[in-house]
Amino acid sequence: MTKAKIIGLGSYYPKKVLTNFDLEKMVETSDEWIRTRTGVEERRIAADDEFSSDMGTNAAKEALKDANLNGSDIDFILVATLTPDYIFPSTACLIQENIKANNAAALDIQAACSGYVYALTLAKSLVEAKTYKNVLIVATEKLSSIVDYKDRSTAILFGDAATACVVSLDGKGLEIKSTFLAASGKEADLLILPAGGSKLPASIQTVKEKKHYIQMKGKEVYKHAVRRMKEAIEICLKDANLTEKEISWLIPHQANERIIDAIAKRFEHLESDKVFKEVVHKFGNTSASSVGLALDILKKENRIKPKEKILLTVFGAGFTWGACILENN
Ligand code: ACO
């Protein structure tokens, strides 16, 4: 059976750079602390009048160009975001209009930082079942809109960016060989934006209590992230009938360099030169966009050789997690 592939990639980063030295002036922290605990050097911050749909539109246009397609060739749009422009309408509908994808159905998915791999899995199913032909995936995050820049435990971690790809049966590209997804709602409270939904609608009280900002139990999230991404890698390798030796690039969720190193250390053959970390250094944690940005950098810089296999693994609020193996064909 012909397998789904990624036939075009694109990304967008806002211009404004927020360095660790800038953060030193905002909260009690230091460049040294941030680098050693997280690996983050700087992150991008969207302009006041630049939203998730705008960044996602820019990334989508670049991915369409890379795939040699127009908006009208797309028949399904999946947008992974935890920072949509609105609760409704969906950001997917806003992007559909911006790129004139008039023949496309449009849907947002909310799997937090795991959104890109969740979307790849759905897109693979849609195109391999021949329900849809060309699926556009966009991951876009304006995390600066939900970060409390007075809370040093979260302010240092997150950044804004968007990435996109086109998944299709036609053309050449990165074949989606296998994917694995999982979730556990038991830990929902460990990483949460408490207000703004139907449980705690926006009120003067919720604003006073800062309940519209990310709240995270960092240490617990860290432990679950390492354990779950390691498991996901093992399951996905087994499913694809591959060994870790056959993987040329490991792209873990770019949340924290220490989490990435802790995962890689649990495998004998995933040496450091195979483990991608550049996005966490330069962009911080961009949630759903994270692994797609990394993939786009590797592809654009021609660092993926023919037939090489890439393993993406993700973890996010929910908790949600997963993995995906791609082959450069
Ligand atoms: N600057 C300086 N000191 C700080 C800072 C800061 N920015 N933040 C915390 N500290 C202090 C704490 O107050 C604490 O001080 P104390 O010992 O006097 O109490 C000390 O540093 C250690 O704090 P910890 O929270 O124990 O630090 P830890 O080593 O756990 O690092 C971190 C914190 C970086 C948040 C880490 O727990 C982590 O990365 N967790 C995972 C976070 C993550 O990846 N989340 C996202 C995954 S899912 C998704 O992307 C949505």
Side-chain angles (χ1 to χ4, degrees), residues 280-315:
V280 75
H281 296 156
K282 292 296 169 196
F283 302 102
N285 182 347
T286 55
S287 188
S289 306
S290 139
V291 293
L293 295 176
L295 192 61
D296 191 24
I297 291 172
L298 282 178
K299 193 82 174 82
K300 296 270 158 60
E301 294 180 358
N302 284 321
R303 288 156 68 187
I304 311 171
K305 304 280 170 293
K307 294 287 164 203
E308 278 192 346
K309 294 174 189 67
I310 306 135
L311 205 161
L312 311 180
T313 184
V314 287
F315 179 85

Side-chain angles (χ1 to χ4, degrees), residues 29 33 37 113 152 191 216 218-219 253 255-256 259 285:
T29 191
W33 194 96
R37 300 289 180 124
C113 305
R152 67 179 181 174
L191 185 49
M216 180 179 70
K219 266 197 195 316
H253 175 38
N256 182 324
I259 295 178
N285 182 347

